[in-house]
Every structure is written in C-alpha cells, then in structure tokens.
Amino acid sequence: MSVAAADWLPAATVTASGRAVLSAGEIERHLLPLVDLEPEENPRLAPLHGCLLALTSHRLVFLHEASLSARALPLASIAHAYPPHRRHNHNPLRSLFSSSSSSSSSHHPRIRIQISLPPSRSEVVAVVVTCKADVDVFYGRLLEAIRARAWEATASAAPASGAPVAEGAAPAEEDLAIRMPVVGVAGILRKEQETWESAGQNLQDAFQDLNALMSKAKEMMELAEKMRQKLLTNSSAQSNSNDEEMGSKQDMQDLLLSVGIVSPVTKETAGALYHQQLSRQLADFVRVPVERAGGMMALVDVYCLFNRARG
C-alpha cells in the first residue's frame, strides 16, 4: 500500500535527498530502516508497508523512499504504547492455510499503539518491525519522547521568591558552622560532612547552570534556523537589491552558517543507516553553499563547512 493511500495520517514534507523536514525545535531520536504500520481493529485504515521510520521528538515519520513521500503520526495523539511482542497464531489450520506474507508478518516484533484521531475516536495500530533491529531500544526511546512532550515544552523561569530565601538561609548555616568548635573525632566528621555538602551543592548549582545554558543554546539554534530560512526566502524573492544589502545578507548568512545544524545525524540515532542518512544530510546542507559559490566548491571547503556545522 502506498503512502498516499494512508490519508488518515497527515502528510510530512521530505527533502530532495529523502529525509524528513524537521520543524523548529524538532530533533531526530531514532531510525528504523524497514517497518510496516498496520491497523489492529479497523480494517478501513489503509496500512503502510516498507517504510523507513524516523522517531523525532515530535512525530513518528513513515517515509516511503521510492516515492519520496511520507506520513507522520504526531506523538501528541498517542494515548498509550504497549511493549513489543510477537503475534502468536494459536490455530494450526489457520496458520497452515494463511498467506505467506501474513504468516511472516506475524513473527515480526510489533509495538501496539493506541492513538486518538479526529474528531474524537480511538484506534489501535501496530508498528511492525520487519528489519533486524533492537526493538526494545526503539521502544524505550519512543516512551522517552512521549514523556518528554517536547512539542509543548516552554521555557519556565525560576520563581523570583526562591532565590532570596536560599541566600538568606546560607549565611545562617555558615555562621552556625563557624560557631561549632571542631574538636575530637566528632568535630572532624562534622567538618568532613560539611565539606561534602558544600561540594554537592556547588555541583548541583553547576549542573543547573549547564542545563540553562543548553536550553538557551537550543533556543538560539532554533532562532538561527528561522532566520536562515527567512533570509533564503527573501534572497530568492528580491533579486534586484543593491550591493550593500547583498553584502549584509551575505555576512548574516555566514554568521548563521557558523551556528550549526539543528539535528545532526549520529550513530546513536541512525544506527545501521548512519552513512546513508549522513550523506543525505550532507546533500541537503551543501546545496545552498554550492549555489552561493556559483555551482562548484572544493571538497576541502565542503568538508570544513559541514563539520563546522555539525559541531
């Protein structure tokens, strides 16, 4: 069944090299090279066969590489995901006379998913993993993405009333520690405990600062990607601008290029598809620099630009 037939799922945009186009803030989490999507209860839902499945922080994207088309299942519509299992056929006569495709499909790991479809109906579908892959790892990352709810995450500011309380409490503890004499074994143990508590607090504060820095860096990456797309759109629409405006756009594009790729392909997320997906991401990335360079670039320059963008 073609991807276009599964009109009960929203369509997803695909790049020219065959990768799913990610939205702002969306990150690729895992790839499975060959899966099927089959309805468990409603036969009116058209199935999908032979798709590359991309798990992102927002969606399950089923990509049909031959037709460069894709359908997406938003993670927000998933009510529950059941652990992987294999369908066992208890009727020997049915298994004897069943078709080879259905019998082979029944032996593949299946992840049953309960989803909500508009307007207000619940369906159960199954992701059938027909390739050699660690299904438990994929299931774990699927649960992590669902629980993270990155599609609705917003930056939460720390309460202003919490900081003065902590600052006011710290001097009292320090004064108390100074007044307590360090005498004997008990004093040495108390001093050691205070040192460990202070080190633990410093480590916790450092990790909080690191998490804040990472969240801000993610926001800056999203902003840079939006600005880059807007600049590319404006540059194609306004080709008769003067040299000064073109120079400023060139400087801005160079600055945004140094920020990097929002969701680079890694071995952890792509697995066996690492080299294939990396080459496709390179093809998508190098298109704009090559066009700006007049249609030709040295391989060394491409290598430097791409690796700088990957970080």
Side-chain angles (χ1 to χ4, degrees), residues 170-182 190-191 194:
E173 294 179 357
E174 293 177 0
D175 294 341
L176 182 61
I178 293 174
R179 288 195 296 268
M180 293 295 292
V182 182
R190 185 170 59 252
K191 183 66 175 178
E194 292 172 358

Side-chain angles (χ1 to χ4, degrees), residues 23-27 55-60 73-76 145 150-152:
S23 60
E26 189 175 11
I27 299 175
L55 168 64
T56 72
S57 56
H58 294 53
R59 303 173 294 171
L60 285 172
L73 176 62
L75 297 185
W151 57 89
E152 62 181 19

Side-chain angles (χ1 to χ4, degrees), residues 5-172:
D7 53 359
W8 54 278
L9 288 175
T13 309
V14 182
T15 65
S17 64
R19 283 179 52 82
V21 177
L22 303 180
S23 60
E26 189 175 11
I27 299 175
E28 200 172 71
R29 302 291 299 272
H30 198 79
L31 291 174
L32 289 177
L34 198 61
V35 301
D36 298 338
L37 182 65
E38 299 178 352
E40 288 282 293
E41 300 172 350
N42 189 354
R44 291 179 296 179
L45 298 180
L48 296 174
H49 295 298
C51 296
L52 185 149
L53 174 58
L55 168 64
T56 72
S57 56
H58 294 53
R59 303 173 294 171
L60 285 172
V61 182
F62 298 87
L63 175 64
H64 191 257
E65 297 182 286
S67 60
L68 287 181
S69 57
R71 293 284 176 174
L73 176 62
L75 297 185
S77 64
I78 297 179
H80 188 73
Y82 298 90
H85 76 287
R86 285 176 171 82
R87 178 185 291 173
H88 299 287
N89 203 334
H90 299 288
N91 191 339
L93 294 178
R94 180 178 297 179
S95 62
L96 179 64
F97 293 103
S98 61
S99 62
S100 59
S101 60
S102 61
S103 61
S104 61
S105 175
S106 64
H107 296 297
H108 291 128
R110 307 170 68 89
I111 300 177
R112 298 175 66 247
I113 300 175
Q114 183 178 355
I115 60 176
S116 299
L117 295 178
S120 59
R121 60 190 179 100
S122 178
E123 299 286 352
V124 178
V125 296
V127 176
V128 184
V129 182
T130 58
C131 60
K132 292 183 178 180
D134 195 336
V135 184
D136 293 329
V137 172
F138 170 77
Y139 177 71
R141 291 180 180 173
L142 174 61
L143 291 184
E144 290 176 0
I146 295 175
R147 291 166 183 165
R149 306 186 72 84
W151 57 89
E152 62 181 19
T154 54
S156 57
S161 59
V165 175
E167 292 176 358

Side-chain angles (χ1 to χ4, degrees), residues 226-241:
K226 291 180 181 178
M227 293 176 64
R228 188 177 71 87
Q229 294 294 338
K230 187 174 182 180
L231 281 175
L232 293 177
T233 304
N234 292 339
S235 62
S236 61
Q238 300 175 355
S239 58
N240 55 350
S241 58

Side-chain angles (χ1 to χ4, degrees), residues 228-229 232 253 257 283-294 297:
R228 188 177 71 87
Q229 294 294 338
L232 293 177
Q253 289 181 0
L257 184 62
D284 292 332
F285 171 82
V286 79
R287 179 177 56 85
V288 175
V290 168
E291 290 178 356
R292 288 168 47 192
M297 285 184 66

Side-chain angles (χ1 to χ4, degrees), residues 185-230:
V185 177
I188 296 175
L189 292 177
R190 185 170 59 252
K191 183 66 175 178
E192 191 71 18
Q193 182 179 0
E194 292 172 358
T195 304
W196 279 105
E197 290 177 354
S198 177
Q201 183 64 34
N202 293 336
L203 187 62
Q204 184 178 1
D205 294 341
F207 274 109
Q208 288 178 353
D209 295 340
L210 181 61
N211 291 333
L213 178 62
M214 292 177 64
S215 63
K216 292 297 181 183
K218 182 180 178 181
E219 293 176 4
M220 292 301 297
M221 293 281 287
E222 295 174 3
L223 178 61
E225 183 67 19
K226 291 180 181 178
M227 293 176 64
R228 188 177 71 87
Q229 294 294 338
K230 187 174 182 180

